[in-house]
Amino acid sequence: MDLKNMFQMKNDRSSYPEHDQDGKPIIDLDSHKLLKIWQGPQHPGVTGNMSLELTVNGDEIMESKTHVGYLHRGFEKLMERRKFIQCFPTCIRMCVAEPDPNEYILSACIENLSGVEVPEMAQWLRTLALEMARLQVLLRGVPGQAGTFALGLGYQWGNYIRDLILDRFEELTGGRVYHMYILPGGVRGLLPDGFKKRMEENLKLVDEFLGNINDLMYNNSVFKKRAKGLAVIPVDWVDKYGVYGPSARAAGVMRDTRKTHPYLKYAELDFEPYTTTESDVYARSVVRWHDLKMTVDLIRQIMAKMPDKGDIKAPTPNVMHWEIPKGETYMRCESSRGEYGMYMVTDGSEMPRRVNLKGPSYTHANALLEKLLINANIADTAAIMVSLATCPPEIER
Amino acid sequence: MIDLLKDIENRFQTTDSVQQKDRQAFTTVDKGRAIAMVTWLKENAGFTSLTLLTAVDWIEDGVFQLTYILNNPTNGFELGIRVMIDRDGATMESAHHLWKNMQTYQRELKEMFGIDFPGCPRVDEDFILEGWDDMPPYRRDFDTKDYSTDTYFPRPGRGSNDPAEYMKKKMYPND
């Protein structure tokens, strides 16, 4: 036995495990060299209620299968037996962490199919609500990446400021987590008195937070050593696997619907989403840090440009008897995780015929994550998953 | 967009084309030509990104509508392709070779609508409903309320209201 090289592993792991002629890894559990273990559904290293069925050899992952369904409530099916307005309390729960894009795309589908034009003031307020939603997600999402490497301090800082942003949501909408602020035709209310001043105070804290996170994470040798070069997404996988948002932009591909398919007031705002080309966990984290910085800037621009008053809701039929003409549409917006879209089919009745939500996690957590985890170290599973910002409720709907 | 719709109409005999937005259209194609058209759009017309694949149950007509939405990232064009297939023994040619993420959509459609995609890897594996042995639940003839009533015993002390009547009374008490 060659004892000297016994514990040395070849750096190039691409041909291990061996692949069959279809390029599929050969997994032989009867060889007794492999072990099958589960990460999740109750595990601090998974994003929400999902689990990964991992086949490992030592600490190296040979195969991963994503399991979802622990939170399946059949939302899309339930919406088929509800009137359009009754779909809102169901729809917002399709992504707990960032519910506002759900409100927007559901409203946008209804408006597009029924020909309702949203007043300008309401469009500004919608844009503000969507950016506030992104802000509160990224305040936990950016430092959460370091948390997967056991650096949890930044997450605590972010959680504190997120709570202040939820205060702003509460005074704007009455709710902290679920808002139902965006409804067909417009929004539910104007900004409360003094809102802009209080928001600006919060944004100053976020500015400070961005600097602290930069010191804490991106100048940290352990974070850099573990995140750099980890789970690289080649640029040609972007279309092949369906990679969206920050994960695509980390691979050098501009995928941001605020730029590619401008909606609401984004065309009137001055911003340029950050892109880089390294495409590893570190790069995806840096892209999200820049996204957070850009969101702060966008909220300031929105508050400066929006009018003080105006119509906040277009006239609509009685929502309990609103029959929408037969048709179909696909509407999208940019969530913090990437393109978030909804396909709606109507048949002329008071209820949608079919609603299908398409979130980026659908592709990120299935085909892409299963591929990225092959040959990864088991200790990096959580980091890779968090770098893709997977959100199980939007997969199982 | 109009040029594209005319082009595919000539090539694949598409029908019922509707331009829904500036850069979004829907069109219908025969089941036999569908995958050839999707392949052509991906390889020759720049529709390199698959936005989604889903199904609509038109139970009254005895058909499922499969909708493939493709996106052209260069010009932002979006094309929804409708394919009508029989509800009985619903089967569609697999397109898993075109995009790596396609097999997840097809697997979900097998589970939720009972539409088979022969040859698609893992299409028979459970996706969301592990251990489900009832009718595919996203079919229109699967009634969620009946399922709840039959499956879960009623809890004492709980009443129920007709949602439409209850909301009407709350929101428009003077009507």
Side-chain angles (χ1 to χ4, degrees):
Chain A
M1 187 182 286
D2 181 5
L3 293 174
K4 191 178 171 188
N5 294 320
M6 188 174 170
F7 297 109
Q8 288 190 356
M9 214 161 63
K10 286 179 188 167
N11 286 332
D12 179 14
R13 308 294 295 159
S14 57
S15 60
Y16 190 78
E18 285 182 32
H19 290 61
D20 63 17
Q21 56 189 9
D22 298 327
K24 199 171 173 250
I26 300 169
I27 303 296
D28 181 12
L29 287 173
D30 291 334
S31 69
H32 301 288
K33 292 176 183 170
L34 308 176
L35 178 69
K36 199 175 268 292
I37 59 171
W38 289 75
Q39 180 146 328
Q42 276 96 28
H43 190 288
V46 293
T47 51
N49 308 60
M50 61 185 275
S51 64
L52 299 173
E53 182 187 352
L54 303 172
T55 306
V56 294
N57 184 347
D59 59 1
E60 184 181 10
I61 297 168
M62 300 285 101
E63 185 184 53
S64 170
K65 287 185 176 178
T66 300
H67 290 263
V68 293
Y70 302 98
L71 209 60
H72 174 64
R73 286 158 284 182
F75 287 145
E76 292 178 353
K77 175 80 177 179
L78 293 174
M79 287 161 78
E80 290 175 17
R81 52 181 298 148
R82 280 162 171 72
K83 298 191 179 189
F84 290 95
I85 196 72
Q86 293 171 327
C87 292
F88 278 84
T90 305
C91 178
I92 52 173
R93 284 162 175 82
M94 288 196 197
C95 179
V96 185
E98 195 178 2
D100 305 78
N102 292 297
E103 302 174 7
Y104 169 66
I105 52 175
L106 179 58
S107 299
C109 281
I110 294 169
E111 288 151 7
N112 182 250
L113 288 165
S114 58
V116 171
E117 290 290 331
V118 179
E120 187 180 359
M121 183 66 192
Q123 290 193 36
W124 279 110
L125 288 164
R126 284 181 172 192
T127 316
L128 177 66
L130 290 176
E131 286 307 312
M132 283 170 61
R134 190 186 323 280
L135 177 64
Q136 59 89 14
V137 169
L138 291 174
L139 280 167
R140 292 202 300 189
V142 172
Q145 186 66 66
T148 62
F149 297 129
L151 179 57
L153 178 62
Y155 190 85
Q156 307 302 328
W157 296 345
N159 236 349
Y160 165 67
I161 306 174
R162 175 180 178 265
D163 232 34
L164 301 177
I165 303 301
L166 297 189
D167 288 347
R168 301 291 76 74
F169 264 120
E170 190 173 357
E171 65 173 308
L172 179 63
T173 71
R176 294 178 72 77
V177 176
Y178 297 124
H179 310 124
M180 288 200 281
Y181 177 64
I182 300 171
L183 291 174
V187 294
R188 279 199 291 113
L190 287 162
L191 296 183
D193 288 343
F195 178 92
K196 289 182 183 177
K197 182 172 168 286
R198 288 186 292 278
M199 178 56 93
E200 180 53 37
E201 286 166 8
N202 296 158
L203 295 182
K204 281 180 184 150
L205 285 177
V206 183
D207 288 336
E208 199 181 322
F209 170 78
L210 280 161
N212 291 338
I213 282 294
N214 192 39
D215 294 340
L216 183 78
M217 285 172 63
Y218 305 116
N219 291 316
N220 181 304
S221 61
V222 175
F223 181 74
K224 277 202 269 194
K225 191 169 181 181
R226 290 198 61 183
K228 283 205 169 188
L230 178 64
V232 174
I233 300 174
V235 68
D236 62 318
W237 286 15
V238 169
D239 283 339
K240 202 190 285 182
Y241 282 87
V243 185
Y244 299 97
S247 300
R249 283 188 275 121
V253 181
M254 171 51 76
R255 289 287 157 85
D256 188 322
T257 55
R258 293 172 294 180
K259 276 287 178 193
T260 56
H261 295 79
Y263 53 99
L264 296 175
K265 287 293 175 186
Y266 285 107
E268 296 176 35
L269 300 171
D270 181 21
F271 67 105
E272 196 55 51
Y274 181 80
T275 58
T276 184
T277 53
E278 288 80 6
S279 201
D280 51 15
V281 169
Y282 188 87
R284 291 195 279 280
S285 178
V286 170
V287 167
R288 288 201 174 84
W289 183 88
H290 281 275
D291 278 7
L292 178 55
K293 194 163 183 263
M294 190 171 80
T295 295
V296 172
D297 181 48
L298 284 173
I299 291 175
R300 285 189 171 122
Q301 284 189 47
I302 294 163
M303 291 197 303
K305 288 186 176 182
M306 69 190 298
D308 290 330
K309 52 188 171 185
D311 287 341
I312 57 166
K313 198 166 176 311
T316 57
N318 181 331
V319 292
M320 292 308 296
H321 307 286
W322 193 354
E323 292 176 350
I324 293 183
K326 186 173 180 177
E328 61 196 313
T329 190
Y330 176 78
M331 299 298 287
R332 56 158 69 78
C333 70
E334 187 73 10
S335 74
S336 65
R337 300 172 304 288
E339 179 179 317
Y340 204 75
M342 181 176 279
Y343 171 63
M344 181 183 281
V345 180
T346 48
D347 55 11
S349 71
E350 295 176 335
M351 301 176 193
R353 181 70 185 214
R354 173 87 175 110
V355 177
N356 182 222
L357 180 100
K358 164 63 197 303
S361 303
Y362 193 86
T363 49
H364 288 190
N366 288 295
L368 182 63
L369 181 64
E370 288 178 355
K371 176 72 176 168
L372 281 175
L373 284 177
I374 296 174
N375 299 121
N377 190 293
I378 193 170
D380 292 330
T381 311
I384 296 170
M385 191 187 285
V386 168
S387 79
L388 302 174
T390 55
C391 177
E394 75 187 35
I395 305 170
E396 55 207 28
R397 289 112 49 220
Chain B
M1 197 86 217
I2 290 170
D3 292 343
L4 174 78
L5 290 174
K6 280 183 184 162
D7 191 8
I8 56 174
E9 189 181 333
N10 290 332
R11 287 173 188 272
F12 302 100
Q13 288 79 57
T14 54
T15 55
D16 304 323
S17 298
V18 177
Q19 187 161 354
Q20 184 65 26
K21 293 190 285 180
D22 280 351
R23 294 188 287 172
Q24 185 184 94
F26 290 87
T27 192
T28 304
V29 68
D30 280 352
K31 180 182 173 184
R33 297 191 186 95
I35 301 304
M37 178 167 143
V38 170
T39 308
W40 183 85
L41 286 163
K42 182 187 175 219
E43 292 176 358
N44 299 296
F47 286 84
T48 55
S49 177
L50 171 70
T51 300
L52 61 83
L53 164 64
T54 193
V56 187
D57 186 358
W58 298 104
I59 189 170
E60 61 272 42
D61 301 329
V63 293
F64 285 124
Q65 172 189 328
L66 287 174
T67 306
Y68 298 78
I69 299 186
L70 311 186
N71 181 255
N72 181 335
T74 310
N75 56 21
F77 282 6
E78 203 147 47
L79 191 60
I81 301 158
R82 308 182 204 99
V83 185
M84 300 300 180
I85 59 172
D86 286 340
R87 258 181 124 251
D88 292 334
T91 306
M92 180 62 192
E93 189 183 340
S94 174
H96 67 274
H97 55 287
L98 296 175
W99 287 278
K100 294 283 185 187
N101 52 343
M102 180 64 97
Q103 68 157 267
T104 316
Y105 292 102
Q106 296 185 162
R107 199 171 140 207
E108 184 183 346
L109 289 176
K110 174 83 189 277
E111 184 174 71
M112 291 299 193
F113 287 89
I115 301 169
D116 198 10
F117 295 86
C120 175
R122 298 173 63 187
V123 74
D124 293 318
E125 283 183 28
D126 288 342
F127 180 50
I128 291 169
L129 310 171
E130 285 181 354
W132 182 260
D133 56 5
D134 210 320
M135 172 198 301
Y138 274 23
R139 290 185 173 220
R140 293 288 284 191
D141 41 354
F142 178 82
D143 191 299
T144 48
K145 190 165 183 295
D146 286 349
Y147 177 80
S148 298
T149 310
D150 296 342
T151 311
Y152 307 106
F153 56 88
R155 280 177 273 178
R158 299 191 76 184
S160 63
N161 294 298
D162 174 58
E165 284 301 315
Y166 183 75
M167 279 191 75
K168 190 177 169 188
K169 214 162 108 184
K170 294 284 278 186
M171 296 176 76
Y172 309 105
N174 300 324
D175 273 8

